[in-house]
Amino acid sequence: MAAAGLREPLHEALCMQLLLTLLVFTFAGEACKRVIFNVPSKLEADKLIGRVDLKECLRSADSIQSNDPDFRVLDDGSVYTARAIVLSSEKRSFTIGLSDRKTQTLKEIYVLLEHQKKMLKKRHTKETVLRRAKRRWAPIPCSMQENSLGPFPLFLQQVQSDAAQNYTVFYSISGRGVDQEPLNLFFIERDTGNLYCTRPVDREEYDVFDLIAYASTADGYSADLPLPLPIKVEDENDNHPIFTETIYNFEVPESSRLGTTVGVVCATDRDEPDTMHTRLKYSILEQNPKSPGLFSVHPSTGVITTVSHYLDREVIDKYTLIMKVQDMDGQFFGLSSTSTCIITVKDSNDNAPTFRQNAYEATVDENTYNVEILRIPIEDKDSINTENWRANFTILKGNENGYFKISTDKATNEGVLCVVKPLNYEENHQMILEIGVNNEVPFIRDIATRVPTMNRALVTVRVKDQDEGPECNPPAQYVRIKENSAAGLKVNGYKAYDPETKNSNGLRYKKLHDPKEWISIDEISGLITVSKVLDREVMAPRNDVYNVTVLAIDQDGRSCTGTLAVNIEDVNDNPPQLLQDYLVVCKPKMTYVDISAIDLDEPVHGAPFHFSLANTSPEVNRIWTINKVNGI
């Protein structure tokens, strides 16, 4: 089957591929070369037909215009059809105007569209003549524009069977759009084979209709096999691209590096894929707050990135972008839509905690401890109640003896300075502490290189003097007295002192505990007097120190307690003593017996001992002898 009214030679020629020649030159002929391209004569809408080297003609063109509305020219020189075109003649031309406003240069590229038929090979006389076999009718390419305005019924094409040359043939069709939903969209004239469409079609609902055409004689004889007859619906740019989200929400850390990915926006377009109708381009229409511009979007991928180092949550914590997507690769005539993108700037530790003052003062009474003496407030611009805001305080200098401790009040973020060991006014009237503060987490890497990570302040602690009682210092004081010293011997006793006057004037002394009542103490001077003869050997437990507890009292009744340790020097006042009163020697089994002795005095007055027999008669000396054992 073929188009009606065509004879075989013409039909054969139309089946050949048609060519298109593109001729480019400028009026001046200076920069443009002649280029030839070949394309079919039937051109679909939004199809690339060639590419022109614009820069070769005018390198700095800022305006590109076609004088034929059927053709569009992109910035890269690509030439697209604006609608479906059939070149009715062998030639068609239009011009592309190029202009540069800065140099006030105008040039034109002349485009010639030319198609020519392939030359048939001439048959030599010697070639054998081939007999033509019976032809089958073939599918005829057919298309229709979606959303056509008619008039309806709209003629699409004519089909014809070769059998019509010999018979009266009647045509019919079937398939979706005829006897299947959508019903009665197409019909064919029974006698002529003219195919019609009855109403507009939406390509996004039906992109192709696979019809079957039949040719039969009046008596029902099938003159040809059924012919597949696809009807393609040509796309029209009738669908706006739509963002997948009405509102996008993204987060980005402040002080992010240049080029940090914030998020991705995406849009879909129901028009035909892989055409200009679905070639989308993304852009940012507006940013609020407007200045400075901090974000960009990749035109093809929709990836939003940072283009500035000036993200600062403490200045602006949220940005709103109005995003635009446009088809036709962003050309002004493309369809577009918008969406909102909300970018929240997340806090980073890019602000150091700082003291409000460089120096502070505090006072504390001497001898007090476990008390709070100062609260130190700080400033930190980071997000409140986060690890970037919470402070850590440290005593850097001045607390070598551990008198102070500093901690953080979690509710107020203040440093709380406390005294944990009693201070002595007489030793330190004041102390100077160096306090440092930083956050719970380190500074971010880029900021840490240019901002000190620890702020410092000085705290002067003044110690207030208190009217204290006497001090028994050292707590234990020693004196030496020989044992067996006569009663009435006077020796220096325990000495306490007033910390304010640094002397003992006005103090009174009292004996609190004297185990053997060996000494007495003078209430005014503190001198001790031996009351009884001292015997080192009767002390229990046995040692050389006899402890007496002394109470020192000032005029206001305040007191302290000390120990007077009396070191009793040993005198050799104890003879050695035999441990056994008598010994038994049994003959003949026993040949000797051990005799042992002890001395209660110190070892210097003790062993080695000299043993001898009391009876030194010759008879006793003949029977008994005494020998040292182990050299003792």
Side-chain angles (χ1 to χ4, degrees):
M1 184 181 293
L6 295 179
R7 294 298 181 259
E8 183 175 332
L10 178 58
H11 174 70
E12 295 265 349
L14 288 177
C15 292
M16 298 180 181
Q17 183 181 6
L18 300 180
L19 305 177
L20 174 70
T21 300
L22 179 63
L23 179 62
V24 181
F25 63 93
T26 64
F27 286 147
E30 298 174 356
C32 300
K33 297 180 181 179
R34 178 172 299 194
V35 182
I36 298 177
F37 298 96
N38 296 322
V39 295
S41 62
K42 183 175 181 180
L43 304 176
E44 298 179 358
D46 299 313
K47 296 299 181 181
L48 178 67
I49 64 172
R51 184 171 284 111
V52 179
D53 190 347
L54 302 177
K55 291 187 177 181
E56 186 178 7
C57 184
L58 183 59
R59 181 167 297 275
S60 57
D62 51 25
S63 176
I64 304 169
Q65 295 290 335
S66 169
N67 72 341
D68 190 334
D70 288 345
F71 300 94
R72 293 193 306 272
V73 184
L74 304 187
D75 292 344
D76 63 354
S78 300
V79 181
Y80 283 85
T81 55
R83 62 181 184 83
I85 300 171
V86 176
L87 300 180
S88 57
S89 63
E90 292 187 0
K91 293 184 179 182
R92 180 170 175 172
S93 63
F94 63 94
T95 60
I96 300 173
L98 305 177
S99 65
D100 184 349
R101 287 191 291 270
K102 292 182 179 180
T103 61
Q104 297 185 349
T105 302
L106 297 175
K107 289 195 177 184
E108 287 188 342
I109 299 176
Y110 180 77
V111 179
L112 177 64
L113 305 183
E114 182 181 74
H115 66 87
Q116 63 184 45
K117 304 173 184 178
K118 286 187 177 180
M119 298 300 295
L120 296 177
K121 182 180 178 182
K122 293 183 179 180
R123 183 178 63 85
H124 296 285
T125 54
K126 294 183 178 180
E127 290 180 347
T128 305
V129 177
L130 298 178
R131 291 181 176 271
R132 177 179 174 276
K134 182 178 180 181
R135 297 181 60 247
R136 295 182 178 180
W137 57 346
I140 302 173
C142 182
S143 64
M144 60 180 293
Q145 192 73 27
E146 72 167 327
N147 305 321
S148 174
L149 298 178
F152 294 100
L154 178 66
F155 174 75
L156 297 179
Q157 70 171 359
Q158 184 184 43
V159 295
Q160 186 177 18
S161 171
D162 289 339
Q165 299 178 20
N166 303 315
Y167 306 98
T168 299
V169 175
F170 302 102
Y171 299 95
S172 61
I173 55 175
S174 67
R176 189 174 65 173
V178 182
D179 52 3
Q180 301 173 28
E181 290 292 341
L183 298 173
N184 303 320
L185 178 62
F186 300 102
F187 71 88
I188 192 170
E189 289 183 341
R190 180 171 180 267
D191 298 322
T192 65
N194 290 337
L195 180 64
Y196 293 90
C197 178
T198 62
R199 58 185 182 271
V201 178
D202 184 0
R203 189 207 67 85
E204 285 67 51
E205 187 175 4
Y206 303 103
D207 59 347
V208 67
F209 294 91
D210 292 315
L211 305 182
I212 304 295
Y214 306 91
S216 58
T217 59
D219 58 0
Y221 170 72
S222 295
D224 275 306
L225 294 174
L227 172 67
L229 188 60
I231 308 297
K232 181 182 178 183
V233 181
E234 296 290 347
D235 187 41
E236 181 182 51
N237 193 20
D238 59 342
N239 287 279
H240 289 256
I242 303 296
F243 281 100
T244 56
E245 301 286 343
T246 304
I247 298 178
Y248 291 90
N249 287 283
F250 300 125
E251 292 183 342
V252 60
E254 65 177 328
S255 304
S256 293
R257 292 179 178 273
L258 198 68
T260 298
T261 296
V262 176
V264 181
V265 295
C266 182
T268 59
D269 194 319
R270 296 183 63 216
D271 288 317
E272 186 173 359
D274 302 321
T275 67
M276 290 292 291
H277 296 165
T278 52
R279 184 177 293 182
L280 308 182
K281 181 169 286 188
Y282 300 91
S283 60
I284 298 175
L285 282 183
E286 183 180 343
Q287 172 188 300
N288 286 306
K290 297 183 181 300
S291 180
L294 299 177
F295 307 97
S296 70
V297 63
H298 191 282
S300 300
T301 64
V303 175
I304 300 174
T305 56
T306 59
V307 294
S308 173
H309 292 292
Y310 298 108
L311 275 176
D312 190 344
R313 187 202 66 84
E314 288 71 44
V315 178
I316 300 173
D317 62 354
K318 188 171 292 186
Y319 293 88
T320 300
L321 305 181
I322 304 301
M323 308 300 300
K324 175 185 175 183
V325 62
Q326 190 165 21
D327 59 20
M328 302 302 293
D329 200 32
Q331 295 294 312
F332 70 92
F333 47 80
L335 303 178
S336 65
S337 64
T338 60
S339 179
T340 300
C341 178
I342 299 175
I343 300 175
T344 301
V345 183
K346 294 172 58 180
D347 187 41
S348 299
N349 192 14
D350 61 341
N351 288 279
T354 57
F355 293 105
R356 295 179 181 176
Q357 302 172 206
N358 294 326
Y360 298 85
E361 291 187 358
T363 59
V364 60
D365 293 333
E366 66 172 332
N367 299 321
T368 59
Y369 61 98
N370 290 334
V371 293
E372 176 186 317
I373 63 171
L374 182 65
R375 281 182 169 260
I376 308 175
I378 59 103
E379 300 284 350
D380 196 318
K381 296 180 181 179
D382 290 316
S383 185
I384 296 176
N385 293 325
T386 66
E387 58 187 4
N388 301 324
W389 173 83
R390 287 190 287 268
N392 276 340
F393 294 88
T394 306
I395 302 177
L396 301 174
K397 293 180 183 178
N399 193 36
E400 289 75 17
N401 293 322
Y403 289 110
F404 303 94
K405 180 184 74 173
I406 191 166
S407 58
T408 304
D409 186 323
K410 300 299 183 183
T412 64
N413 214 29
E414 295 173 310
V416 181
L417 183 64
C418 297
V419 175
V420 294
K421 289 172 60 177
L423 291 162
N424 192 326
Y425 172 82
E426 287 70 34
E427 294 178 0
N428 291 298
H429 292 353
Q430 73 175 29
M431 303 182 71
I432 298 177
L433 307 177
E434 184 178 9
I435 308 296
V437 63
N438 53 19
N439 293 122
E440 290 183 357
V441 295
F443 283 88
I444 57 177
R445 182 171 55 189
D446 291 345
I447 298 300
T449 59
R450 60 179 187 268
V451 177
T453 59
M454 180 172 287
N455 195 244
R456 300 165 187 254
L458 296 179
V459 176
T460 301
V461 180
R462 304 188 188 282
V463 183
K464 294 173 63 178
D465 187 26
Q466 298 293 313
D467 188 9
E468 303 170 279
E471 288 192 2
C472 294
N473 191 21
Q477 299 178 16
Y478 293 83
V479 297
R480 298 178 70 86
I481 303 176
K482 286 187 178 182
E483 70 174 327
N484 301 328
S485 296
L489 177 67
K490 294 185 181 297
V491 181
N492 287 332
Y494 193 91
K495 283 291 183 181
Y497 67 95
D498 188 320
E500 276 75 31
T501 63
K502 299 298 182 180
N503 59 50
S504 301
N505 296 339
L507 299 182
R508 294 178 295 111
Y509 298 93
K510 181 179 179 180
K511 185 177 68 171
L512 292 180
H513 181 61
D514 181 0
K516 300 290 185 181
E517 296 295 330
W518 281 350
I519 64 172
S520 62
I521 189 166
D522 186 271
E523 183 179 4
I524 302 302
S525 66
L527 291 175
I528 61 172
T529 302
V530 177
S531 302
K532 299 178 181 179
V533 176
L534 305 182
D535 187 352
R536 190 191 68 85
E537 285 74 37
V538 301
M539 288 190 302
R542 183 68 58 83
N543 56 53
D544 297 338
V545 178
Y546 180 71
N547 292 326
V548 178
T549 304
V550 178
L551 181 69
I553 309 168
D554 66 7
Q555 293 178 355
D556 295 325
R558 292 183 291 258
S559 63
C560 67
T561 301
T563 299
L564 181 64
V566 181
N567 192 325
I568 302 176
E569 296 182 2
D570 187 40
V571 176
N572 191 13
D573 58 346
N574 289 283
Q577 301 175 10
L578 293 174
L579 294 179
Q580 303 94 339
D581 293 335
Y582 64 91
L583 298 171
V584 177
V585 179
C586 295
K587 288 187 177 183
K589 292 182 179 181
M590 295 180 62
T591 60
Y592 69 92
V593 64
D594 290 329
I595 301 173
S596 300
I598 61 170
D599 193 321
L600 297 177
D601 293 319
E602 288 187 351
V604 68
H605 297 137
F609 301 129
H610 175 72
F611 294 87
S612 63
L613 295 171
N615 188 345
T616 57
S617 65
E619 183 64 21
V620 172
N621 289 336
R622 185 181 64 82
I623 299 173
W624 302 101
T625 60
I626 295 178
N627 298 316
K628 290 184 177 181
V629 179
N630 296 329
I632 299 175

